[in-house]
Amino acid sequence: MFLQNSEKKIEEEFLKLTEKLGADKEPLKTICGKLDACDRDLTLAMKYLYVTAPYSDLVNYSFEDIKEFLYNHLERVHALQEEMFLNYILDHRVNEEEVLPCRTLFWNALKDRIEGKNAKDAAIEVNYWCAEEATYHSGDDRTLPALTVYRRGYGRCGEESVFLVNALRSVGIPARQVYVPRWSHCDDNHAWVELWCDGKWYFTGACEPLMILNKGWFTNASSRAMMVHSRLFDLFPAEGEDVIGKEGAAVMLNQTARYAKVKTVTVQVTDHAGAPVKDAQVQFQVLNMGEYYPIAKAMTDENGNDVAYANSLWVYMDIERGRPARPDESEIAPYGTGEPYEMTYESRKIPLPTESEELESFPVRRYHIDTNEHVNNCQYVQMALESLPKDKEVHQMRVEYKKSAVYGDMIYPRIAAEDDRTVVELCDENAKPYAVIEFRFA
């Protein structure tokens, strides 16, 4: 069945999107109305594209514009793993380009040229077609979409690679753009294309066809690159991917090991006395274009090593008026501000399981209460941890605080274990949660 393994994840993420933006408000009101008229397969595919796309795509592009990317029903597509299909065939985005429908046009132009060819030979033929339609021309503007490159006949390397990726996806070959943000040996950068054939990734220069794959003018240069990365718009990267951060809606994946000899190194930050420094930001930079350009960032643990990260949402309250307030500069200054940490940011809402097991209730104790006369936030987490099996090692945790419990209240815990997470609800006597805690395990 189409997207059988991914259906639950897609539905959960779309529910989060409707809760955050409002299913009764535009643009989701129109989107949901059109989804109601679609069959199951089309609905799942469209929901996936909407939950992984930048919010701006929901406003800037019509339902029909996005739907144009879904026509592909080739047999080689049916044989792909779901994650490969979703990320590298279905996805309408390659980079930050404008979304202009192009896949049907490219398929009609290419279908006769690739007929009877295996995936590898078809990929080479597609690149020859792209070279016939577009050539290199430098530029510094926002990355142009594949359709624009095709119509005007030229583009820089990032635009040529967007063109080739869309052409390959149109004929059912998984493809992605890879990118060196800055070369280590000269002042410049470069982008090319990776494509999936015979169970592994190959590379090729976009609009620079050769009779074989895994060869290009940049082969030797990439072996000296400090970083080669690709972008992924899915919320859950495939197992084994080396996630190095997040940039807007895109998850950044490290692909350097495919091009250069690599090894894992540990960087320790110490003070003048030689003691490890906690929470120090470490940047890895390369000298290029007259500046030291950061290609990766991390924070250190108590040993001076990067170990964990977290995100939290807070509200600044006017306690006299009982409503949120905006802090002024004098109130912000003592705490300081900085760039967001490069990590995958989860949504605020935790999707609740459809079924859960009720555990033994217990009262709120004195030691649960903080100076505000209600249960301290950390105490909710501790309550939830005590509900878990003892052999579980928590790898990731999310908490959604619903309302305050006070001394004397009864807590009625509920627990639900799913494939990749366990959810604990700490509820009142009416099954309304005080807090919802989601755990994922190592």
Side-chain angles (χ1 to χ4, degrees), residues 276-321:
V277 177
K278 183 181 179 182
D279 294 332
Q281 186 185 82
V282 178
Q283 293 190 8
F284 298 87
Q285 302 180 339
V286 60
L287 180 60
N288 192 292
M289 298 185 183
E291 65 174 347
Y292 283 101
Y293 183 84
I295 60 168
K297 301 175 184 178
M299 302 295 289
T300 59
D301 62 7
E302 65 274 7
N303 297 316
N305 303 320
D306 186 17
V307 65
Y309 53 80
N311 178 48
S312 62
L313 300 175
W314 297 78
V315 176
Y316 186 71
M317 294 292 295
D318 182 336
I319 58 176
E320 293 183 358
R321 303 177 65 189

Side-chain angles (χ1 to χ4, degrees), residues 9 48 52 83-84 87-88 176 230-246 249-255 309 343-346 396 420:
K9 177 186 73 174
Y48 172 81
T52 58
E83 290 174 335
M84 189 64 63
N87 296 330
Y88 303 117
R176 64 188 179 191
S230 64
R231 294 171 181 240
L232 181 73
F233 290 92
D234 199 339
L235 303 173
F236 302 95
E239 184 177 353
E241 294 281 19
D242 185 3
V243 178
I244 55 174
K246 197 168 188 294
V251 177
M252 312 304 291
L253 304 178
N254 184 2
Q255 308 297 347
Y309 53 80
M343 58 182 279
T344 300
Y345 287 86
E346 300 280 3
Q396 178 179 309
D420 59 348

Side-chain angles (χ1 to χ4, degrees), residues 55 72 80 121-122 158 160-161 182 295 348 365 372 428:
Y55 289 154
N72 199 308
L80 293 171
D121 290 340
E160 288 179 308
S161 55
R182 294 288 191 275
I295 60 168
R348 184 173 65 85
R365 305 291 187 182
N372 294 312
D428 62 15

Side-chain angles (χ1 to χ4, degrees), residues 6 22 50 62-63 74 106 129 146 203 211 265 284 301 315 400:
S6 303
Y50 280 123
S62 70
F63 187 88
L74 296 178
F106 293 171
W129 176 79
F203 67 84
M211 296 181 67
V265 297
F284 298 87
D301 62 7
V315 176
E400 182 182 349

